[in-house]
Amino acid sequence: MAAVGYTVDGVRERLGPVAHAALHRNETTPGVRATEGGDPLDTLVRLWLLQRPVPADRAERALPGLLEPLVMAGLLGATGGEGGAGEAGGSGDRIRALVDVRPYGATGGPARKGLPDDQDWWVVADLTPGLDGARPAVTADHVLGVNSAASTLAQLTVRRPARRALDLGTGCGVQALHLSGHVREVVGTDVNPRALAMARLTGTLNGLDWDLREGSLFEPVRGEKFDLVVSNPPFVISPRGGLTYRDSGMAGDEVCRRIVTQAPDFLADGGVCQILANWLHVRGENWRDRLGDWLADSGAGSGTGSGADCDAWVLQREVSDPAEYVELWLKDAGVHGTPEYARRYDDWLAWFEAQDAEGVGFGWITLRRNAGPRPGGPAAVMEEWPHPVEQPLGAEVGRWLDAVDRLDSYADDAALLGARLRVDPDVDQEQLGRPGAADPEHVVLRQRRGLRRAVAVDTAEGGFVGACDGELTVGQICDALATLLGEEPARMRGRLLPRARQLYAEGYLHDAAPDAAPDATPA
């Protein structure tokens, strides 16, 4: 496949921008027009990406010596000239794909940090359903290929060298591929035997040997510890199971709660768990309270629960109302437009009403098990940020974990007052106000990278951040601002120090380089 250019870059070049974009919309006609030459690359693109039957002789040229073995293995199917299935080889035979084998991991792609620049992968999964407007038809044990959720988790994961990692619910092995770039031993679990078979083939095809085990959640790794756990679980909240890749069969958001509460027991000291999750928004209950209970049971934010002392960062990315949520997942299952659509829609809404649910949140959860208690207790942050971000965010998650560690040394006010901080170079200050007004109504600090946060600040806070140039200490800046604004120094320090810690944790400020002037004094 590599030899004929069946790679991400090779396919993109062969299809061209129009057909490549159309394929991402599940439309194949432009791609068929772009692959009429009949060479091996055209054949493989048509066979797997476009799901078009190809003549057996062309398939043999594209896969020399492999056609019969692939048919016997059930990866390809041979269809006779009259439409009957049979062994490949007749002059009228056409070959069709029974599973998907597609290139993955563009050279230098954003989620590939730590991997060789010339690395190309191939992923084995079930065929993409619903091409060219057809109704998606998936079986209960369907193995999902590369999708937006898998890509999101891959880009969110902290990419640091580690000894052992667990891909919980590995599916076709997408996360395991990424983990192999920076982890010595990768363990993958899944409740679906077909998923494990495809993940095993994905690994073998890429020269990788993973420890793959069948079982639900953490059962296959009971008693083991990992430096990193990642999971894109079957988080869809529904009244019944059905599709293994998305429906856990557990009530409500129970599968995500279990992962969060049980994960610390499987993390080594300093180990990190990162998952995608859905959670219910129950009428009259703040979603933060619901997630706070999960974190308390895991030991995050309280040091209780599992007995582990865990830091936690929960970021809610979007909230769907019940009707919107039901429509999305019924269409995903190929039910839209069928006679049972209205009935299942109504049943699902009735179930949400019985749960007193007014919405479903989607977001990212990061946990880290600490080696020991923190001076001020474990960090627990739950926030909402539905705005565009810059992927990959793995480095930003790593920065937050480092900032939490560093803030331990700044828990004492005297230590923070003596620190020299520097404003991040990717932070801009915006001043908003009416045209012609003497002073702005709002001053906003905005990050150009990562989460692209924005925060409103008052005059003193804006002046403080602006003065953080790595030369003056925090105490010197606070006292200078107190003099400038006519405020008591103690009051100014009491107001700015908590804000400085928050801005440090969120990445607006960081420690100055070691060579910053140690004896600078205010002008």
Side-chain angles (χ1 to χ4, degrees), residues 23 25-26 130 132 157 182 203 217 245 269 342 347 358 375 383 390 437 443 451 455 469 489 516:
L23 186 57
R25 300 190 300 271
N26 282 358
D132 299 316
T157 302
H182 61 104
L217 300 182
Y245 73 86
D269 288 345
D347 288 348
E358 57 186 4
E383 58 183 324
E390 181 189 51
V443 177
L451 277 177
V455 60
D469 58 2

PDB file of all heavy atoms in Angstrom, residues 23 25-26 130 132 157 182 203 217 245 269 342 347 358 375 383 390 437 443 451 455 469 489 516:
ATOM      1  N   LEU A  23     -15.606  13.398  -0.232  1.00  0.00           N
ATOM      2  CA  LEU A  23     -15.541  12.112   0.462  1.00  0.00           C
ATOM      3  C   LEU A  23     -15.742  12.295   1.965  1.00  0.00           C
ATOM      4  O   LEU A  23     -16.362  11.451   2.617  1.00  0.00           O
ATOM      5  CB  LEU A  23     -14.208  11.431   0.177  1.00  0.00           C
ATOM      6  CG  LEU A  23     -14.037  10.006   0.710  1.00  0.00           C
ATOM      7  CD1 LEU A  23     -15.142   9.092   0.181  1.00  0.00           C
ATOM      8  CD2 LEU A  23     -12.671   9.455   0.357  1.00  0.00           C
ATOM      9  N   ARG A  25     -17.708  14.276   3.180  1.00  0.00           N
ATOM     10  CA  ARG A  25     -19.161  14.452   3.330  1.00  0.00           C
ATOM     11  C   ARG A  25     -19.903  13.184   2.942  1.00  0.00           C
ATOM     12  O   ARG A  25     -21.113  13.202   2.733  1.00  0.00           O
ATOM     13  CB  ARG A  25     -19.637  15.625   2.472  1.00  0.00           C
ATOM     14  CG  ARG A  25     -19.003  16.968   2.822  1.00  0.00           C
ATOM     15  CD  ARG A  25     -19.715  18.107   2.103  1.00  0.00           C
ATOM     16  NE  ARG A  25     -19.671  17.990   0.651  1.00  0.00           N
ATOM     17  CZ  ARG A  25     -18.708  18.490  -0.121  1.00  0.00           C
ATOM     18  NH1 ARG A  25     -17.691  19.134   0.429  1.00  0.00           N
ATOM     19  NH2 ARG A  25     -18.767  18.348  -1.447  1.00  0.00           N
ATOM     20  N   ASN A  26     -19.163  12.064   2.783  1.00  0.00           N
ATOM     21  CA  ASN A  26     -19.734  10.770   2.399  1.00  0.00           C
ATOM     22  C   ASN A  26     -20.295  10.763   0.985  1.00  0.00           C
ATOM     23  O   ASN A  26     -21.217   9.997   0.678  1.00  0.00           O
ATOM     24  CB  ASN A  26     -20.807  10.317   3.398  1.00  0.00           C
ATOM     25  CG  ASN A  26     -20.208   9.755   4.672  1.00  0.00           C
ATOM     26  OD1 ASN A  26     -18.992   9.657   4.803  1.00  0.00           O
ATOM     27  ND2 ASN A  26     -21.061   9.394   5.615  1.00  0.00           N
ATOM     28  N   GLY A 130     -23.715   4.671   4.932  1.00  0.00           N
ATOM     29  CA  GLY A 130     -24.427   5.868   4.501  1.00  0.00           C
ATOM     30  C   GLY A 130     -23.758   6.683   3.419  1.00  0.00           C
ATOM     31  O   GLY A 130     -23.981   7.891   3.331  1.00  0.00           O
ATOM     32  N   ASP A 132     -23.171   8.349  -0.191  1.00  0.00           N
ATOM     33  CA  ASP A 132     -24.014   8.803  -1.310  1.00  0.00           C
ATOM     34  C   ASP A 132     -25.497   8.847  -0.964  1.00  0.00           C
ATOM     35  O   ASP A 132     -26.361   8.513  -1.779  1.00  0.00           O
ATOM     36  CB  ASP A 132     -23.783   7.913  -2.533  1.00  0.00           C
ATOM     37  CG  ASP A 132     -22.339   7.966  -3.009  1.00  0.00           C
ATOM     38  OD1 ASP A 132     -21.786   9.078  -3.077  1.00  0.00           O
ATOM     39  OD2 ASP A 132     -21.765   6.894  -3.287  1.00  0.00           O
ATOM     40  N   THR A 157      -5.003  14.071  24.036  1.00  0.00           N
ATOM     41  CA  THR A 157      -4.173  13.245  24.908  1.00  0.00           C
ATOM     42  C   THR A 157      -2.785  13.851  25.111  1.00  0.00           C
ATOM     43  O   THR A 157      -2.155  14.323  24.169  1.00  0.00           O
ATOM     44  CB  THR A 157      -4.031  11.831  24.319  1.00  0.00           C
ATOM     45  OG1 THR A 157      -5.337  11.259  24.170  1.00  0.00           O
ATOM     46  CG2 THR A 157      -3.197  10.940  25.222  1.00  0.00           C
ATOM     47  N   HIS A 182       4.632   6.883  21.965  1.00  0.00           N
ATOM     48  CA  HIS A 182       5.329   7.408  23.147  1.00  0.00           C
ATOM     49  C   HIS A 182       5.187   6.507  24.372  1.00  0.00           C
ATOM     50  O   HIS A 182       5.607   6.889  25.466  1.00  0.00           O
ATOM     51  CB  HIS A 182       4.824   8.819  23.475  1.00  0.00           C
ATOM     52  CG  HIS A 182       3.354   8.900  23.790  1.00  0.00           C
ATOM     53  ND1 HIS A 182       2.869   9.044  25.058  1.00  0.00           N
ATOM     54  CD2 HIS A 182       2.264   8.858  22.987  1.00  0.00           C
ATOM     55  CE1 HIS A 182       1.556   9.100  25.031  1.00  0.00           C
ATOM     56  NE2 HIS A 182       1.159   8.978  23.789  1.00  0.00           N
ATOM     57  N   GLY A 203      -3.077  -3.250  14.325  1.00  0.00           N
ATOM     58  CA  GLY A 203      -1.749  -3.237  14.926  1.00  0.00           C
ATOM     59  C   GLY A 203      -0.737  -3.995  14.084  1.00  0.00           C
ATOM     60  O   GLY A 203       0.360  -3.497  13.792  1.00  0.00           O
ATOM     61  N   LEU A 217     -15.074  -2.576  30.520  1.00  0.00           N
ATOM     62  CA  LEU A 217     -14.400  -1.535  31.309  1.00  0.00           C
ATOM     63  C   LEU A 217     -13.058  -2.033  31.849  1.00  0.00           C
ATOM     64  O   LEU A 217     -12.227  -2.515  31.102  1.00  0.00           O
ATOM     65  CB  LEU A 217     -15.328  -1.031  32.406  1.00  0.00           C
ATOM     66  CG  LEU A 217     -16.660  -0.402  31.914  1.00  0.00           C
ATOM     67  CD1 LEU A 217     -17.474   0.108  33.078  1.00  0.00           C
ATOM     68  CD2 LEU A 217     -16.410   0.691  30.888  1.00  0.00           C
ATOM     69  N   TYR A 245     -20.693  -0.045  19.835  1.00  0.00           N
ATOM     70  CA  TYR A 245     -19.676   1.000  19.798  1.00  0.00           C
ATOM     71  C   TYR A 245     -20.135   2.291  20.464  1.00  0.00           C
ATOM     72  O   TYR A 245     -19.320   3.144  20.808  1.00  0.00           O
ATOM     73  CB  TYR A 245     -19.233   1.288  18.355  1.00  0.00           C
ATOM     74  CG  TYR A 245     -20.231   2.044  17.504  1.00  0.00           C
ATOM     75  CD1 TYR A 245     -20.283   3.434  17.508  1.00  0.00           C
ATOM     76  CD2 TYR A 245     -21.111   1.366  16.664  1.00  0.00           C
ATOM     77  CE1 TYR A 245     -21.189   4.123  16.726  1.00  0.00           C
ATOM     78  CE2 TYR A 245     -22.013   2.042  15.870  1.00  0.00           C
ATOM     79  CZ  TYR A 245     -22.047   3.422  15.902  1.00  0.00           C
ATOM     80  OH  TYR A 245     -22.945   4.101  15.118  1.00  0.00           O
ATOM     81  N   ASP A 269       1.136   6.337  40.384  1.00  0.00           N
ATOM     82  CA  ASP A 269       1.356   7.687  40.885  1.00  0.00           C
ATOM     83  C   ASP A 269       1.785   8.596  39.738  1.00  0.00           C
ATOM     84  O   ASP A 269       2.702   8.272  38.982  1.00  0.00           O
ATOM     85  CB  ASP A 269       2.426   7.694  41.970  1.00  0.00           C
ATOM     86  CG  ASP A 269       1.932   7.072  43.270  1.00  0.00           C
ATOM     87  OD1 ASP A 269       0.705   6.909  43.420  1.00  0.00           O
ATOM     88  OD2 ASP A 269       2.776   6.744  44.131  1.00  0.00           O
ATOM     89  N   ALA A 342     -40.539   7.485  14.280  1.00  0.00           N
ATOM     90  CA  ALA A 342     -41.387   8.290  15.163  1.00  0.00           C
ATOM     91  C   ALA A 342     -41.605   7.591  16.505  1.00  0.00           C
ATOM     92  O   ALA A 342     -41.604   8.234  17.561  1.00  0.00           O
ATOM     93  CB  ALA A 342     -42.724   8.591  14.484  1.00  0.00           C
ATOM     94  N   ASP A 347     -40.419   7.315  22.296  1.00  0.00           N
ATOM     95  CA  ASP A 347     -40.001   6.514  23.457  1.00  0.00           C
ATOM     96  C   ASP A 347     -38.779   7.122  24.141  1.00  0.00           C
ATOM     97  O   ASP A 347     -38.699   7.167  25.371  1.00  0.00           O
ATOM     98  CB  ASP A 347     -39.684   5.081  23.019  1.00  0.00           C
ATOM     99  CG  ASP A 347     -40.923   4.287  22.658  1.00  0.00           C
ATOM    100  OD1 ASP A 347     -42.036   4.760  22.966  1.00  0.00           O
ATOM    101  OD2 ASP A 347     -40.774   3.199  22.060  1.00  0.00           O
ATOM    102  N   GLU A 358     -33.224  17.691  31.188  1.00  0.00           N
ATOM    103  CA  GLU A 358     -33.515  18.796  30.285  1.00  0.00           C
ATOM    104  C   GLU A 358     -32.413  19.010  29.250  1.00  0.00           C
ATOM    105  O   GLU A 358     -32.494  19.915  28.424  1.00  0.00           O
ATOM    106  CB  GLU A 358     -33.724  20.089  31.074  1.00  0.00           C
ATOM    107  CG  GLU A 358     -32.562  20.475  31.968  1.00  0.00           C
ATOM    108  CD  GLU A 358     -32.877  21.692  32.831  1.00  0.00           C
ATOM    109  OE1 GLU A 358     -34.041  22.165  32.770  1.00  0.00           O
ATOM    110  OE2 GLU A 358     -31.979  22.172  33.545  1.00  0.00           O
ATOM    111  N   PRO A 375      -0.641  20.274  49.359  1.00  0.00           N
ATOM    112  CA  PRO A 375      -0.768  21.175  50.513  1.00  0.00           C
ATOM    113  C   PRO A 375      -2.151  21.810  50.627  1.00  0.00           C
ATOM    114  O   PRO A 375      -2.721  21.902  51.710  1.00  0.00           O
ATOM    115  CB  PRO A 375       0.315  22.228  50.252  1.00  0.00           C
ATOM    116  CG  PRO A 375       1.315  21.533  49.397  1.00  0.00           C
ATOM    117  CD  PRO A 375       0.543  20.578  48.544  1.00  0.00           C
ATOM    118  N   GLU A 383     -15.455  23.638  34.194  1.00  0.00           N
ATOM    119  CA  GLU A 383     -15.757  24.867  33.467  1.00  0.00           C
ATOM    120  C   GLU A 383     -16.436  24.546  32.147  1.00  0.00           C
ATOM    121  O   GLU A 383     -16.438  23.406  31.677  1.00  0.00           O
ATOM    122  CB  GLU A 383     -14.482  25.671  33.228  1.00  0.00           C
ATOM    123  CG  GLU A 383     -13.407  24.925  32.457  1.00  0.00           C
ATOM    124  CD  GLU A 383     -12.140  25.743  32.315  1.00  0.00           C
ATOM    125  OE1 GLU A 383     -12.250  26.974  32.160  1.00  0.00           O
ATOM    126  OE2 GLU A 383     -11.039  25.159  32.349  1.00  0.00           O
ATOM    127  N   GLU A 390      -8.025  25.538  19.378  1.00  0.00           N
ATOM    128  CA  GLU A 390      -7.009  25.132  18.424  1.00  0.00           C
ATOM    129  C   GLU A 390      -6.469  23.765  18.825  1.00  0.00           C
ATOM    130  O   GLU A 390      -5.806  23.629  19.844  1.00  0.00           O
ATOM    131  CB  GLU A 390      -5.863  26.150  18.398  1.00  0.00           C
ATOM    132  CG  GLU A 390      -4.771  25.800  17.391  1.00  0.00           C
ATOM    133  CD  GLU A 390      -3.547  26.700  17.537  1.00  0.00           C
ATOM    134  OE1 GLU A 390      -3.037  26.842  18.661  1.00  0.00           O
ATOM    135  OE2 GLU A 390      -3.111  27.243  16.511  1.00  0.00           O
ATOM    136  N   ALA A 437     -15.648  57.308  23.528  1.00  0.00           N
ATOM    137  CA  ALA A 437     -15.630  57.308  24.996  1.00  0.00           C
ATOM    138  C   ALA A 437     -14.200  57.471  25.503  1.00  0.00           C
ATOM    139  O   ALA A 437     -13.239  57.001  24.877  1.00  0.00           O
ATOM    140  CB  ALA A 437     -16.233  56.020  25.532  1.00  0.00           C
ATOM    141  N   VAL A 443     -12.066  45.541  29.469  1.00  0.00           N
ATOM    142  CA  VAL A 443     -10.734  45.147  29.046  1.00  0.00           C
ATOM    143  C   VAL A 443     -10.699  43.625  29.076  1.00  0.00           C
ATOM    144  O   VAL A 443     -11.029  43.008  30.091  1.00  0.00           O
ATOM    145  CB  VAL A 443      -9.638  45.728  29.950  1.00  0.00           C
ATOM    146  CG1 VAL A 443      -8.266  45.224  29.520  1.00  0.00           C
ATOM    147  CG2 VAL A 443      -9.677  47.254  29.922  1.00  0.00           C
ATOM    148  N   LEU A 451      -6.807  26.743  24.010  1.00  0.00           N
ATOM    149  CA  LEU A 451      -8.251  26.886  24.239  1.00  0.00           C
ATOM    150  C   LEU A 451      -8.794  28.217  23.747  1.00  0.00           C
ATOM    151  O   LEU A 451      -9.998  28.396  23.633  1.00  0.00           O
ATOM    152  CB  LEU A 451      -8.565  26.741  25.732  1.00  0.00           C
ATOM    153  CG  LEU A 451      -8.706  25.325  26.264  1.00  0.00           C
ATOM    154  CD1 LEU A 451      -8.952  25.346  27.762  1.00  0.00           C
ATOM    155  CD2 LEU A 451      -9.828  24.576  25.582  1.00  0.00           C
ATOM    156  N   VAL A 455     -10.869  36.465  29.046  1.00  0.00           N
ATOM    157  CA  VAL A 455     -11.294  36.814  30.397  1.00  0.00           C
ATOM    158  C   VAL A 455     -11.311  38.331  30.533  1.00  0.00           C
ATOM    159  O   VAL A 455     -10.407  39.029  30.055  1.00  0.00           O
ATOM    160  CB  VAL A 455     -10.351  36.180  31.457  1.00  0.00           C
ATOM    161  CG1 VAL A 455      -8.921  36.664  31.293  1.00  0.00           C
ATOM    162  CG2 VAL A 455     -10.853  36.447  32.874  1.00  0.00           C
ATOM    163  N   ASP A 469       6.706  41.163  33.142  1.00  0.00           N
ATOM    164  CA  ASP A 469       7.694  41.067  32.075  1.00  0.00           C
ATOM    165  C   ASP A 469       8.884  40.190  32.463  1.00  0.00           C
ATOM    166  O   ASP A 469       9.893  40.133  31.751  1.00  0.00           O
ATOM    167  CB  ASP A 469       8.191  42.449  31.683  1.00  0.00           C
ATOM    168  CG  ASP A 469       8.804  43.215  32.854  1.00  0.00           C
ATOM    169  OD1 ASP A 469       8.874  42.638  33.969  1.00  0.00           O
ATOM    170  OD2 ASP A 469       9.211  44.371  32.665  1.00  0.00           O
ATOM    171  N   PRO A 489      -1.570  49.049  49.901  1.00  0.00           N
ATOM    172  CA  PRO A 489      -0.820  47.917  49.339  1.00  0.00           C
ATOM    173  C   PRO A 489      -1.351  46.560  49.780  1.00  0.00           C
ATOM    174  O   PRO A 489      -1.436  45.628  48.977  1.00  0.00           O
ATOM    175  CB  PRO A 489       0.604  48.166  49.853  1.00  0.00           C
ATOM    176  CG  PRO A 489       0.686  49.642  50.046  1.00  0.00           C
ATOM    177  CD  PRO A 489      -0.678  50.053  50.517  1.00  0.00           C
ATOM    178  N   ALA A 516      15.997  35.867  34.016  1.00  0.00           N
ATOM    179  CA  ALA A 516      15.357  37.153  34.257  1.00  0.00           C
ATOM    180  C   ALA A 516      16.077  37.886  35.381  1.00  0.00           C
ATOM    181  O   ALA A 516      16.568  37.279  36.328  1.00  0.00           O
ATOM    182  CB  ALA A 516      13.886  36.955  34.621  1.00  0.00           C
TER     183      ALA A 516
END
